[in-house]
């Protein structure tokens, strides 16, 4: 009998508590997530680390920071700078240890312990930023800041953050801590346009970085966090609080004692207020230095040269030259009514005037002067609205030259005034008086002592001393007379006819309309007689004058016709000054010289070139002294030094000149409109240019002894008859001393003149150029 099988007794299944199972699952997911995250991070670092565009650390071995090039005058006074960033790099050994300790304490206390990354600091920054709900604190080490500054830039992306970490580690493996710190300290920004510790030290304390004390080092170390907000010049209280923080951190890290921190912290911050009276006084020379360095080193190297360049300019003379030119131009404005209204139009005449303007005005929106009738004045915007006849325009009138007292437009103009305007760029601007230029050089060397390229010259602007091409008028005549004297056919006593003359289609006229009959060459030069100059040019020939002027320094093309005698060909102000220098320099031409030293390298002077005989040069100087003593340049006598010079005034008074010199300094002055037009019927070289010249030269020569022009051998003095130029008869009352190159003095004696019949004057056999 089969017995039924008994079913096994099933044991109850013991299930883990639900909460435990959840925890286990979370742990597993966390481990898996961690593994996946680790794999992801590794993959992320591998991906971005293998980027072929990732910057190379090796680039930092050839560190070429942007540095400032300082431009000095001949005595070492700072007159300008060339820089994209104002930075001066110094050897790391010159940076004091106290500054290194202060910077590390303020920016990255664990710098010398970590390997480029401060994980605790990064976590702390993350927590603080989450609390603040914004980016409130950075966790970057100094190493990471170097990476960001030199290699990556300020971009905030995952890609950049990962590369930041990669490069920080690589940087620490390739460079020493001191090398990394050196990069950081030379590069960081301290505010006010100053980069690097040396430039910051000079700017805030007026001393080199190695001379910094503890308090100064702590203040500088606190600035990189927020340079403009913590500036001791603008916010001294904030700067003091930041300095105290740095001092406490230095004490906490054991770099200084707590007592030192308290003592230094109790002292006030003393920063310098910079006094640079001649900075930016010579933008013209700064432009020339920039050109010189570009040609020497290449334009792409300018921002990294970091040189000290010494120039030939004298900052004091440069300042005096600009002041004299501006003074003279303002005086001309006042005489001729420039810078104000032309006239006031009564209401009943407005329609008639506008009709005339519409009919006679030059082309609108094109170079040239226009007149506009003021129809509205806006004091808030410092502008007026004018009707030009065929259109209306808004013109700003906040000009410094014509309104130095900054009066409101309504105090200077009224509705119905006619004013001058011109088209400039893409707008109409207020058109005032003329421009000018001044060049002062040492005639013995060609060194430029001062150069002013316009009333309000700005860097990169139009330098009229170098770039303007203008007719010299009678200031060109010395080259004609130098050629005539050098030919041996003329002396200072030669008699030439001053009377109407015609050369085919050209009939030169004297400026004053007066004809004097036969005159000696010295008289012709002194009084700038045009007909005499034309006759001498006919005799000597333009080619001889062209050759001489070119050899002396006139680089522009010169006319081949007789009008060259009256300065019809255009020249540059600097060229004219250099050409005159040979007369003051014994007949030796010089080259312009602006720079004497670049870094440690001297820039040699070009040796002078003999162009004319010393006797001819001195004789020309003597003739030009007569211009000052008795002729068109008499206003230059105010200098009270021996002066030789020549005025120049072109047709319709479009260009006026005076080029004058003493043995030690030669100065050329030009005045005219950029677009040539009359300065005014009474404006001549003697009236508009000489006063500028005198004002400058008085300051330039103040306190210096009077010097006479050195006279070479080979010259003789003879007493001559002033009418005939022949030797004066024995006992003649009207005889005068004249200077001759030996061998050219007259051999014949003038006839005796009977005082009772003095109306009959015999010229004897003296040659007269008809």
């Amino acid at each position: 009998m089969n017995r039924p099988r008994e079913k096994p007794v099933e044991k109850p299944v013991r299930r883990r508590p639900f909460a435990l199972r959840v925890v286990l699952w979370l742990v597993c997911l966390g481990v898996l997530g961690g593994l996946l995250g680790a794999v992801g991070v590794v993959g992320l670092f591998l991906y971005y680390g293998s980027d072929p565009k990732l910057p190379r650390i090796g680039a930092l071995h050839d560190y070429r920071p942007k540095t400032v090039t300082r431009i000095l005058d001949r005595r070492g006074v700072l007159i300008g700078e060339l820089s994209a960033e104002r930075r001066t790099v110094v050897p790391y050994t010159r940076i004091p240890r106290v500054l290194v300790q202060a910077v590390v304490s303020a920016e990255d206390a664990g710098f010398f312990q970590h390997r480029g990354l401060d994980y605790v600091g990064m976590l702390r920054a993350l927590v603080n930023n989450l609390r603040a709900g914004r980016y409130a604190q950075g966790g970057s080490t100094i190493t990471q800041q170097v990476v960001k500054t030199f290699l990556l830039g300020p971009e905030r992306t995952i890609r950049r953050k990962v590369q930041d970490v990669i490069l920080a580690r690589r940087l620490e493996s390739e460079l020493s801590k001191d090398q990394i710190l050196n990069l950081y300290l030379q590069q960081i920004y301290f505010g006010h346009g100053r980069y690097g510790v040396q430039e910051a030290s000079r700017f805030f304390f007026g001393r080199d970085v190695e001379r910094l004390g503890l308090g100064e080092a702590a203040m500088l170390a606190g600035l990189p966090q927020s340079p403009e907000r913590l500036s001791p010049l603008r916010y001294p209280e904030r700067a003091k609080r930041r300095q105290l923080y740095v001092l406490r951190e230095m004490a906490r890290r054991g770099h200084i004692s707590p007592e030192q921190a308290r003592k230094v912290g109790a002292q006030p911050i003393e920063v310098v207020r910079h006094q640079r009276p001649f900075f930016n006084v010579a933008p013209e020379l700064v432009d020339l230095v920039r050109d010189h360095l570009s040609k020497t080193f290449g334009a792409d190297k300018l921002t990294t040269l970091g040189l000290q360049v010494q120039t030939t300019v004298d900052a004091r003379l440069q300042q005096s030259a600009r002041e004299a030119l501006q003074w003279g131009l303002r005086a001309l404005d006042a005489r001729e009514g420039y810078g104000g209204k032309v006239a006031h139009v009564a209401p009943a005449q407005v329609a008639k005037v506008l009709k005339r303007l519409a009919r006679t005005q030059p082309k609108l929106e094109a170079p040239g002067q226009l007149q506009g009738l003021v129809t509205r004045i806006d004091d808030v915007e410092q502008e007026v609205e004018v009707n030009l006849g065929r259109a209306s325009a808004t013109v700003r009138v906040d000009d410094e030259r014509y309104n130095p007292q900054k009066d409101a437009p309504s105090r200077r103009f009224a509705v119905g005034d006619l004013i001058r305007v011109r088209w400039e760029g893409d707008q109409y601007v207020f058109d005032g008086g003329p421009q000018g230029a001044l060049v002062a050089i040492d005639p013995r060397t060609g060194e430029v002592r001062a150069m002013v390229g316009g009333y309000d010259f700005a860097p990169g602007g139009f330098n009229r001393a170098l770039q303007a091409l203008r007719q010299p008028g009678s200031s060109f005549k010395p080259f004609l007379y130098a050629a005539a004297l050098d030919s041996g056919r003329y002396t200072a006593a030669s008699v030439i006819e001053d009377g109407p003359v015609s050369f085919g289609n050209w009939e030169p006229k004297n400026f004053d309309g007066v004809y004097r009959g036969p005159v000696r060459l010295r008289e012709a030069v002194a009084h700038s007689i045009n007909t005499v100059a034309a006759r001498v040019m006919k005799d000597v020939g333009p080619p001889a004058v062209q050759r001489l002027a070119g050899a002396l320094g006139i680089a522009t093309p010169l006319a081949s016709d007789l009008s060259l005698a009256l300065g019809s060909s255009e020249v540059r102000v600097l060229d004219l000054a250099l050409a005159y220098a040979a007369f003051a320099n014994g007949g030796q031409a010089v080259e312009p010289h602006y720079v004497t030293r670049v870094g440690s390298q001297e820039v040699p002077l070009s040796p002078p070139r003999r162009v004319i005989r010393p006797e001819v040069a001195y004789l020309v100087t003597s003739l030009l002294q007569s211009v000052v003593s008795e002729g068109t340049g008499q206003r230059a006598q105010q200098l009270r030094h021996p002066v030789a010079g020549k005025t120049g005034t072109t047709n319709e008074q479009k260009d006026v000149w005076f080029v004058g010199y003493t043995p030690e300094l030669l100065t050329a002055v030009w005045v005219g409109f950029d677009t040539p037009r009359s300065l005014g019927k009474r404006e001549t070289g003697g009236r508009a240019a000489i006063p500028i010249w005198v004002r400058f030269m008085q300051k330039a020569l103040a306190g210096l002894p009077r010097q006479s022009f050195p006279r070479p051998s080979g010259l003789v003095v003879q007493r001559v008859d002033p009418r005939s130029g022949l030797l004066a008869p024995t006992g003649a009352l009207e005889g005068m001393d004249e200077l001759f190159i030996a061998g050219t003095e007259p051999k014949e004696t003038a006839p005796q003149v009977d005082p009772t019949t003095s109306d009959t004057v015999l010229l004897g056999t003296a040659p007269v150029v008809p």
Side-chain angles (χ1 to χ4, degrees):
M1 175 175 183
N2 293 330
R3 299 177 64 183
R5 288 184 180 177
E6 296 182 0
K7 295 182 177 179
V9 178
E10 295 182 0
K11 296 181 179 180
V13 179
R14 299 181 62 185
R15 299 178 62 85
R16 292 172 179 168
F18 177 77
L20 181 59
R21 281 182 287 156
V22 170
V23 170
L24 290 174
W25 275 105
L26 290 175
V27 169
C28 291
L29 289 174
V31 172
L32 180 61
L35 290 173
L36 291 174
V39 171
V41 169
V42 171
L44 194 66
F45 274 80
L46 288 174
Y47 175 74
Y48 286 124
S50 62
D51 185 350
K53 296 182 180 179
L54 188 67
R56 304 295 178 188
I57 299 298
L60 295 181
H61 289 288
D62 189 27
Y63 175 49
R64 291 290 184 272
K66 294 179 179 178
T67 51
V68 60
T69 290
R70 286 181 170 78
I71 302 172
L72 312 177
D73 85 336
R74 62 193 297 253
R75 293 185 173 86
V77 176
L78 182 66
I79 59 173
E81 293 176 341
L82 296 176
S83 64
E85 297 176 355
R86 286 177 175 163
R87 175 186 290 104
T88 300
V89 176
V90 296
Y92 184 67
T93 53
R94 284 181 55 186
I95 300 175
R97 196 65 187 166
V98 67
L99 180 57
V100 171
Q101 294 168 343
V103 169
V104 169
S105 298
E107 294 292 314
D108 184 4
F111 174 74
F112 287 103
Q113 287 75 45
H114 63 61
R115 297 296 299 165
L117 301 171
D118 181 1
Y119 300 103
V120 175
M122 293 166 68
L123 180 62
R124 182 170 57 249
L126 175 63
V127 171
N128 290 338
N129 290 339
L130 290 174
R131 285 178 179 173
R134 59 184 175 85
Y135 184 83
Q137 180 180 341
S140 297
T141 63
I142 286 178
T143 306
Q144 288 175 287
Q145 291 183 55
V146 169
V147 167
K148 179 178 70 174
T149 300
F150 287 91
L151 301 174
L152 293 178
E155 180 188 5
R156 292 179 181 176
T157 63
I158 293 177
R159 177 178 180 274
R160 199 204 69 79
K161 288 293 183 183
V162 172
Q163 291 182 337
D164 183 346
V165 172
I166 294 171
L167 292 175
R169 297 286 296 180
R170 291 182 182 177
L171 183 61
E172 288 275 350
S173 66
E174 292 196 25
L175 298 183
S176 69
K177 289 290 187 180
D178 283 346
Q179 288 174 313
I180 295 171
L181 262 178
N182 184 46
L183 291 172
Y184 180 75
L185 294 173
Q186 307 285 7
Q187 188 73 12
I188 50 176
Y189 182 57
F190 286 91
H192 299 280
R194 266 62 187 183
Y195 293 81
V197 291
Q198 169 71 349
E199 196 65 30
S201 179
R202 283 178 174 173
F203 178 76
F204 289 110
F205 306 115
R207 65 185 67 174
D208 291 328
V209 66
E210 61 264 35
R211 297 175 56 201
L212 291 180
L214 173 58
E216 295 159 338
M219 197 216 78
L220 283 190
L223 290 179
Q225 183 191 66
S226 184
E228 304 297 347
R229 191 178 65 84
L230 296 173
S231 166
L233 292 173
R234 295 174 179 167
Y235 307 106
E237 297 84 3
R238 295 177 186 174
K240 186 62 180 177
R241 288 196 296 270
R242 181 65 176 164
Q243 183 204 41
L244 292 174
Y245 164 78
V246 175
L247 289 169
R248 287 195 299 270
E249 287 297 303
M250 293 180 72
R252 192 157 74 92
R253 307 294 172 184
H255 298 306
I256 60 174
S257 68
E259 179 60 28
Q260 283 179 294
R262 285 191 296 271
K263 181 178 179 181
V264 173
Q267 298 170 356
I269 295 176
E270 295 183 359
V271 292
V272 299
R273 299 287 176 176
H274 286 275
Q275 300 294 326
R276 301 193 293 180
F278 297 110
F279 189 72
N280 284 335
V281 75
E284 296 89 347
L285 269 295
V286 172
D287 279 357
L288 289 171
V289 169
R290 181 185 289 108
D291 292 344
H292 177 85
L293 296 179
S294 294
K295 292 175 182 176
T296 305
F297 300 99
D300 58 326
K301 301 287 197 308
L302 278 181
T303 60
T304 60
L305 291 175
L307 296 170
Q308 189 161 280
V309 180
Q310 192 154 26
T311 67
T312 61
V313 73
D314 186 308
R316 182 181 61 86
L317 298 190
Q318 177 71 20
Q319 189 175 64
S320 297
R322 192 173 306 281
E323 184 276 331
L325 182 68
Q326 291 181 343
W327 168 83
L329 293 178
R330 287 195 302 268
L332 194 155
D333 292 342
R335 288 196 303 270
E336 300 295 337
Y338 297 120
K341 65 182 181 181
V342 178
H344 182 77
V345 179
Q349 298 295 315
V350 167
K352 180 179 179 181
V353 169
L354 291 177
K355 186 176 180 179
R356 175 179 63 80
L357 292 178
R359 185 180 71 255
T360 62
Q361 291 269 58
K363 182 180 178 181
L364 301 182
E365 298 186 3
Q369 188 192 74
L370 303 172
Q371 289 187 356
L373 186 71
V374 176
T375 58
R376 182 180 63 85
I377 300 174
D378 188 334
D379 284 346
V380 175
E381 297 295 330
Q382 293 281 300
E383 62 188 24
V384 298
E385 187 173 296
V386 297
N387 191 321
L388 303 172
R390 301 192 299 275
S392 293
T394 300
V395 180
R396 292 194 62 83
V397 291
D398 56 343
D399 41 84
E400 183 69 24
R401 173 173 173 179
Y402 309 108
N403 186 26
Q405 65 274 22
K406 302 188 185 303
D407 286 339
S410 59
R411 296 192 62 183
R412 302 173 59 202
F413 305 105
V415 171
D417 284 350
L418 270 179
I419 66 171
R420 300 177 179 91
V421 301
R422 72 176 186 278
W423 181 256
E424 187 174 276
D426 59 353
Q427 62 182 338
Y428 284 103
V429 297
F430 183 64
D431 188 30
Q435 276 288 350
L438 184 153
V439 173
I441 65 173
D442 184 332
R444 298 159 295 191
T445 62
E447 293 176 295
V448 175
R449 297 290 182 236
M451 176 183 288
V452 182
Y455 184 95
D456 47 4
F457 183 84
F462 182 64
N463 187 343
R464 295 165 184 84
L466 290 177
Q467 296 170 282
L469 295 175
R470 308 303 294 229
Q471 290 183 333
S474 293
S475 63
F476 188 84
K477 290 175 181 175
F479 311 124
L480 164 65
Y481 292 120
L485 293 169
D486 199 39
S487 72
R489 301 199 300 273
Y490 288 84
T491 71
S494 294
V495 176
I496 305 105
E497 178 68 25
D498 172 23
V501 64
S502 177
F503 300 99
N505 59 355
W506 184 52
E507 296 182 359
K509 309 290 184 183
N510 287 339
F511 180 81
D512 56 9
V514 175
Y515 298 98
R516 300 165 179 81
V519 296
R520 287 173 291 109
L521 188 141
R522 183 176 291 275
E523 292 179 272
V525 174
H527 298 285
S528 200
I529 300 175
N530 289 340
T531 60
V532 171
R535 284 183 164 95
V536 174
M537 178 64 81
K538 174 67 173 176
D539 185 41
V540 173
V545 180
Q546 288 173 321
R547 286 193 299 270
L548 178 60
L552 291 173
I554 302 297
T556 48
L558 298 176
S560 298
D561 56 52
L562 299 181
S563 69
L564 180 62
L566 307 188
S568 61
S569 295
E570 294 176 329
V571 300
R572 297 182 180 91
V573 180
L574 177 64
D575 289 356
L576 195 62
L578 290 168
Y580 268 69
F583 302 139
N585 191 33
Q588 298 186 96
V590 293
E591 299 294 327
H593 198 56
Y594 312 106
V595 177
T596 59
R597 182 179 292 273
V598 176
S600 60
Q601 298 296 315
E602 287 190 10
V603 178
L605 283 167
S606 300
R609 297 173 288 105
R610 169 69 60 195
V611 177
I612 53 178
R613 290 173 290 159
E615 306 94 300
V616 174
Y618 185 84
L619 195 50
V620 172
T621 293
S622 175
L623 293 174
L624 298 183
Q625 285 184 282
S626 294
V627 173
V628 174
S629 63
E630 60 187 85
T632 58
Q634 291 184 59
R635 290 185 179 181
Q637 294 178 31
Q638 299 172 52
L639 186 61
R640 302 188 184 282
H641 278 252
V643 173
K646 186 70 186 74
T647 54
T649 305
T650 63
N651 290 344
E652 299 178 4
Q653 297 77 45
K654 293 179 180 178
D655 296 282
V656 299
W657 300 77
F658 184 69
V659 185
Y661 54 94
T662 63
E664 62 268 62
L665 191 64
L666 183 149
T667 300
V669 175
W670 164 81
V671 175
F673 284 99
D674 285 335
T675 301
R677 64 178 187 270
S678 177
L679 295 168
K681 291 183 178 180
R682 299 173 299 167
E683 301 299 339
T684 63
R687 190 167 196 236
I690 287 183
I692 296 171
W693 185 92
V694 169
R695 189 177 181 92
F696 166 69
M697 292 291 282
Q698 283 176 334
K699 293 183 179 180
L701 301 182
L704 297 180
R706 292 163 50 94
Q707 292 188 36
S708 298
F709 294 101
R711 177 173 157 179
S713 60
L715 294 166
V716 296
V717 175
Q718 292 287 353
R719 190 126 182 113
V720 300
D721 172 51
R723 292 182 177 85
S724 66
L726 300 177
L727 295 175
T730 303
L733 298 178
E734 295 183 354
M736 57 177 293
D737 289 340
E738 184 55 271
L739 192 66
F740 297 91
I741 298 173
T744 66
E745 63 271 24
K747 302 298 188 291
E748 299 180 47
T749 302
Q752 288 281 1
V753 177
D754 186 349
T756 63
T757 60
S758 59
D759 57 326
T760 303
V761 178
L762 297 177
L763 294 180
T765 58
V768 178
V769 177

